[in-house]
Amino acid sequence: MNDKEIYKQYLKKIKLIQKYNKLYYNNNKTDISDSQFDILKREVLNLENKYKFLKDKNSPSETVGFKPSKIFKKIKHKVPMLSLGNAFNEEDLINFEKKINNFLSYKKADEIEYSAEPKIDGISASLIYKNGNFIRGLSRGDGKEGEDITENLKTIKDIPKEIKIKNFPAEIDIRGEVFIQNNDFEKIKGKFANPRNAASGSLRQKDPNITKKMPIKFIAYTYGYSKNMKINTQSDFLKNLKLWGFKINRFNKIIKGVKNLIINHKALEEKRKEIEFDIDGIVYKVNSFDLQNRLGFAANAPRWAIAHKFSANNSISEVLHIEIQVGRTGALTPVAKIKPVNIGGVMVSNATLHNEDEINRKDIRVGDTVTVERAGDVIPHVISVDLKKRKKNSIKFNFPKECPSCGSKTIKDFNEVTKKQDAVRRCISEGYECEKIAIEKIKHFVSKEAFNIDGFGKKIVENFWKLNLLRLPQDIFKLNYNKITKLEGWGNLSVSNLKYSIESKKIISLERFIYALGIRHIGQENAKLLARHLKSADSFFKLSINSDMNDLANIDGIGETQIKSIKNFFLNKTNLKVISELKKILKIANVAQINKNGLFKNKTFMFTGKLNGISRAEAKSLIEQNSGKIISNVNKKLDYLIVGEKPTTKKVNNAKQLNINIINQKEWMKMLNKTS
Ligand code: IVH
């Protein structure tokens, strides 16, 4: 058989799979036994393994179960659906609590109460109720905008359609998890990789009659928008959810203290196998809503909650080869290519060795027998070497001193904070000059948190790079679609979908734009701070001409490291070319000011000395919530210097000289209409 015939056979088998899937899900009919269906799928996978050129987006290796529809209307969530930060051990929890205590200016003695809720591994959904009626249901989507899946959600028995209980808020978005229990999954297993996949596929069906046939459940745990809700704690909210007719997790608990969180975590982890649904950790939420409001949110996740993941699974394997990968910031990461092993249901063939120091410290060598750990969604890593099994002729791994991608020199930065050399070795190339860095930069540019271009995944970036279709970010907007249509695996429809996704991202927020550029040390949080300060793309672009960036030092959170990095970014000619090209193509939205007309409109503040009962971070967020601005230098632009205990004399004297209002904490609190 020649390649063309093989391809034909392959596509024929995929068509058959699609036909049986459609029959099963649309007409609830089967013309084939489960085992025959499995054989058919395996044949396709075997062909793909044997002939690497075979690829099709409808292959069972790409789509598990049936294909979700793309027809749903997108609707904005009134309150975004955020994700949670992760904790893996006691240390992470101690840090989490420490940050809360610092923010709230609490002493250790003030113990924080948490609602501890087992984290079900399903799909989150937001149910909108008005006057007691379930009027609309949305998927999480990108967190800001979800899909209208009302009709599908209506088929779930656990979701009350009408609630006639007195204290049920007039308007509320009830949020929770849609999932499939393990015993129910057993019955439909042939079609899906795991229960989560099955729940997701079921929810996104065009025809709610198909969803209705799936054994999906719903557990409620939080809310988004609400009007007139008179509940003060998460645990009370959970109790009310039950009264209102929702199902809640029977393992929810109220817990104080990190030690007790750990005890509960251990107990639940042991019980995990017996529980009828998959849980992948425990979510801890500060119980008091008042404290939650004070703590607020960082970039993507609340400061008042964290997901404590269950411990990793380990397996033993052999290092076949050590590859040096070059990341977006030039970091050289050693990755062990290992003999594939199954760890907790997932086949693992790569394990990170982190950096040069780590590989030296553990003395990991090619041929070694190693223990590999996989925790949650984190990349698997090598935790130890079995020295007894080391071969006599093994040789120490020699970490390269030149970039394996572009051959440039590599260096280890000196860290000004720790006064030590970094553990990571980096390629000194400034960016697009090094092939591997350039590819990673483009992947970052199109990624979810940056331009979020639908369907433009990492594999596509690599493919387009190979085909010379992409070299710099602006090329994304000038793709040769004629060439792409002719590529294997691409058809008119997929090309027009891609074109549409790209076109729709030409309007972008300043914050996402800055983040997408991938300036070192400018992550999402810093990009947000910069965007809020600069307000328009023009003032951002001006930074490239005007090398004076002292003004940026006024942004609380932006320090010397960040400013130095921004300067470096603008010194690079390719970067300048990239932004000038992007400027022509994109429409970068100015930053809309939140609560423009707050109490402190047009007023600037600065703190010196320790405040009483409130942390700097909270004080700063109070000022910003009231439309005020924080600056970090005493200068003519400063309106108020707020003086706490043991202030810096120089700052107070400077303020006096410049005739700036000097007030104490009480006076400031009065301005805020608060008493200390
Ligand atoms: S609270 C801002 N509570 O975990 C609050 N989430 O990584 C975010 N999840 O998308 C949600 N059980 O799908 C919350 N008891 C629980 C949860 C829970 C599962 C999921 C949810 C969310 C993800 C966060």
Side-chain angles (χ1 to χ4, degrees):
M1 243 195 307
N2 63 27
D3 286 1
K4 208 169 165 189
E5 277 160 11
I6 294 168
Y7 204 73
K8 227 167 133 187
Q9 288 291 326
Y10 166 77
L11 287 180
K12 208 168 145 192
K13 287 183 199 294
I14 292 178
K15 279 253 157 63
L16 259 179
I17 293 177
Q18 281 184 295
K19 181 185 131 193
Y20 291 128
N21 261 338
K22 216 168 146 194
L23 264 180
Y24 181 85
Y25 290 106
N26 291 358
N27 312 355
N28 201 20
K29 268 190 1 204
T30 42
D31 278 5
I32 186 173
S33 75
D34 275 4
S35 59
Q36 277 173 308
F37 186 76
D38 280 344
I39 292 172
L40 187 61
K41 276 203 299 194
R42 214 162 300 136
E43 279 172 356
V44 171
L45 301 180
N46 286 344
L47 278 173
E48 282 176 4
N49 268 337
K50 197 163 166 195
Y51 305 104
K52 294 292 173 210
F53 64 91
L54 292 177
K55 195 177 150 41
D56 188 84
K57 61 181 189 318
N58 293 317
S59 149
S61 64
E62 298 281 326
T63 55
V64 193
F66 44 86
K67 212 175 142 202
S69 173
K70 280 196 174 163
I71 49 141
F72 298 102
K73 208 161 86 192
K74 292 221 168 124
I75 293 176
K76 208 168 165 195
H77 296 293
K78 267 193 171 170
V79 171
M81 288 181 84
L82 299 170
S83 54
L84 294 173
N86 287 330
F88 293 98
N89 48 41
E90 188 165 352
E91 195 188 333
D92 294 346
L93 289 183
I94 293 172
N95 266 332
F96 167 67
E97 191 166 77
K98 208 192 244 164
K99 278 191 190 148
I100 291 178
N101 279 327
N102 285 343
F103 192 94
L104 297 172
S105 210
Y106 271 15
K107 292 177 204 73
K108 251 205 148 169
D110 308 314
E111 277 213 316
I112 295 171
E113 193 173 76
Y114 298 101
S115 169
E117 306 163 15
K119 184 171 176 292
I120 298 186
D121 196 12
I123 302 292
S124 51
S126 185
L127 316 174
I128 306 169
Y129 287 85
K130 265 195 184 147
N131 301 319
N133 293 311
F134 172 47
I135 60 153
R136 186 179 266 161
L138 306 177
S139 68
R140 179 175 184 270
D142 63 2
K144 287 191 178 131
E145 220 177 40
E147 288 168 320
D148 185 345
I149 48 165
T150 314
E151 294 312 314
N152 291 341
L153 287 168
K154 273 189 186 163
T155 66
I156 303 178
K157 286 199 196 76
D158 293 344
I159 296 181
K161 315 298 173 303
E162 197 184 9
I163 301 168
K164 283 187 172 152
I165 295 177
K166 245 191 179 167
N167 75 337
F168 188 63
E171 271 182 50
I172 189 164
D173 303 347
I174 299 288
R175 290 176 177 175
E177 206 78 359
V178 175
F179 65 100
I180 292 183
Q181 281 188 189
N182 291 333
N183 55 340
D184 290 327
F185 178 68
E186 284 302 310
K187 296 174 209 154
I188 53 165
K189 207 161 145 186
K191 318 281 182 290
F192 302 99
N194 53 46
R196 190 172 186 274
N197 224 309
S200 161
S202 314
L203 271 186
R204 300 191 60 242
Q205 284 310 297
K206 194 158 70 180
D207 179 1
N209 286 319
I210 303 171
T211 312
K212 201 171 179 175
K213 286 183 196 131
M214 301 301 288
I216 32 187
K217 300 224 150 42
F218 180 79
I219 266 187
Y221 49 66
T222 193
Y223 63 96
Y225 174 76
S226 77
K227 200 168 157 187
N228 291 342
M229 190 173 69
K230 295 187 183 69
I231 296 172
N232 300 322
T233 62
Q234 168 70 7
S235 49
D236 261 359
F237 176 74
L238 292 171
K239 269 188 209 150
N240 275 286
L241 278 174
K242 208 169 169 188
L243 292 176
W244 297 333
F246 292 96
K247 298 265 161 51
I248 59 169
N249 200 313
R250 68 176 194 282
F251 300 102
N252 290 342
K253 276 201 170 131
I254 304 173
I255 301 175
K256 268 184 182 177
V258 170
K259 286 268 168 305
N260 295 320
L261 292 179
I262 302 275
I263 293 172
N264 179 57
H265 190 261
K266 272 207 182 111
L268 204 63
E269 188 162 22
E270 275 160 25
K271 224 188 285 178
R272 188 178 172 191
K273 289 185 273 325
E274 298 152 31
I275 301 176
E276 65 277 18
F277 42 80
D278 271 350
I279 51 176
D280 58 355
I282 308 180
V283 179
Y284 304 134
K285 301 173 184 167
V286 170
N287 200 22
S288 147
F289 283 165
D290 197 30
L291 292 185
Q292 286 189 5
N293 287 334
R294 281 178 60 188
L295 287 161
F297 298 85
N300 265 329
R303 290 195 187 88
W304 45 265
I306 200 159
H308 187 185
K309 292 293 184 87
F310 285 133
S311 73
N313 291 302
N314 296 343
S315 270
I316 290 168
S317 180
E318 187 192 323
V319 178
L320 301 174
H321 164 65
I322 295 176
E323 188 182 285
I324 305 292
Q325 294 182 350
V326 186
R328 177 172 63 82
T329 59
L332 305 193
T333 305
V335 175
K337 299 277 158 184
I338 57 168
K339 231 184 215 167
V341 272
N342 187 325
I343 315 185
V346 173
M347 289 308 284
V348 175
S349 48
N350 292 320
T352 179
L353 303 168
H354 301 291
N355 53 52
E356 183 180 5
D357 281 11
E358 180 78 3
I359 209 172
N360 286 338
R361 200 168 56 79
K362 289 185 178 152
D363 185 21
I364 298 163
R365 305 177 181 189
V366 174
D368 273 353
T369 300
V370 289
T371 303
V372 180
E373 182 179 89
R374 190 183 72 89
D377 328 320
V378 181
I379 306 167
H381 62 259
V382 169
I383 45 173
S384 61
V385 178
D386 186 347
L387 290 176
K388 281 188 261 130
K389 296 220 172 105
R390 177 167 281 171
K391 292 165 192 130
K392 279 199 192 88
N393 59 355
S394 100
I395 35 171
K396 202 170 156 55
F397 182 72
N398 202 353
F399 203 91
K401 299 288 177 277
E402 274 112 42
C403 172
S405 163
C406 66
S408 298
K409 217 177 99 184
T410 61
I411 49 159
K412 284 178 160 192
D413 283 345
F414 182 75
N415 188 320
E416 290 294 341
V417 183
T418 57
K419 300 282 172 221
K420 274 188 198 154
Q421 231 183 18
D422 270 353
V424 178
R425 184 171 281 284
R426 279 174 209 283
C427 164
I428 56 155
S429 156
E430 277 300 330
Y432 297 101
E433 295 79 14
C434 171
E435 174 169 336
K436 282 279 158 41
I437 297 182
I439 297 174
E440 293 307 310
K441 274 171 113 47
I442 297 174
K443 285 183 191 166
H444 172 81
F445 190 88
V446 296
S447 69
K448 203 161 159 221
E449 290 76 20
F451 269 71
N452 191 18
I453 301 181
D454 257 355
F456 210 132
K458 293 181 178 178
K459 280 265 159 339
I460 296 189
V461 174
E462 279 168 16
N463 249 332
F464 285 5
W465 180 279
K466 266 189 223 144
L467 296 164
N468 230 335
L469 286 160
L470 270 183
R471 282 297 174 267
L472 294 166
Q474 58 265 36
D475 300 338
I476 294 166
F477 303 98
K478 301 173 191 166
L479 285 174
N480 181 344
Y481 291 108
N482 284 334
K483 196 167 167 187
I484 298 172
T485 316
K486 287 182 200 125
L487 297 176
E488 227 171 71
W490 287 87
N492 284 332
L493 184 67
S494 46
V495 169
S496 82
N497 280 344
L498 179 72
K499 202 169 167 180
Y500 176 79
S501 308
I502 293 174
E503 285 301 310
S504 68
K505 294 299 156 73
K506 280 191 176 168
I507 301 176
I508 185 113
S509 68
L510 180 58
E511 171 183 336
R512 273 184 186 265
F513 176 75
I514 297 177
Y515 173 72
L517 294 174
I519 307 172
R520 218 176 141 206
H521 302 295
I522 306 296
Q524 271 181 291
E525 188 70 20
N526 285 339
K528 193 187 218 164
L529 292 174
L530 285 169
R532 278 199 195 154
H533 177 84
L534 294 164
K535 296 197 176 59
S536 70
D538 279 345
S539 38
F540 176 72
F541 292 133
K542 269 191 201 137
L543 294 176
S544 65
I545 323 163
N546 163 14
S547 57
D548 172 27
M549 292 191 195
N550 288 343
D551 188 40
L552 299 185
N554 274 328
I555 311 176
D556 210 32
I558 299 288
E560 251 176 63
T561 317
Q562 285 77 17
I563 294 180
K564 205 167 136 194
S565 173
I566 298 170
K567 273 187 188 159
N568 269 342
F569 176 84
F570 284 121
L571 280 176
N572 180 287
K573 281 208 182 90
T574 317
N575 286 339
L576 292 179
K577 196 174 134 208
V578 169
I579 58 168
S580 95
E581 286 295 310
L582 288 174
K583 205 164 122 184
K584 286 185 221 154
I585 301 164
L586 304 171
K587 187 167 166 21
I588 305 166
N590 289 346
V591 179
Q593 193 105 12
I594 2 150
N595 185 13
K596 265 199 213 138
N597 295 314
L599 207 57
F600 297 154
K601 186 184 172 183
N602 298 332
K603 292 280 176 276
T604 56
F605 294 81
M606 184 182 157
F607 293 100
T608 177
K610 193 184 167 304
L611 299 175
N612 222 327
I614 179 170
S615 70
R616 272 283 176 89
E618 189 175 5
K620 180 186 148 218
S621 113
L622 275 174
I623 285 180
E624 283 170 354
Q625 276 168 31
N626 287 286
S627 346
K629 220 173 122 186
I630 302 278
I631 59 177
S632 50
N633 283 315
V634 179
N635 58 37
K636 276 191 212 145
K637 285 186 200 158
L638 181 64
D639 294 308
Y640 292 95
L641 179 70
I642 304 165
V643 180
E645 281 169 34
K646 294 192 189 147
T648 315
T649 329
K650 199 173 157 202
K651 287 182 184 163
V652 180
N653 288 343
N654 279 349
K656 272 184 193 158
Q657 258 177 19
L658 292 170
N659 254 340
I660 287 163
N661 290 312
I662 301 174
I663 57 173
N664 61 25
Q665 186 180 349
K666 244 196 186 141
E667 288 165 316
W668 172 61
M669 293 278 206
K670 238 188 217 157
M671 284 172 78
L672 260 176
N673 215 358
K674 284 203 171 195
T675 42
S676 66

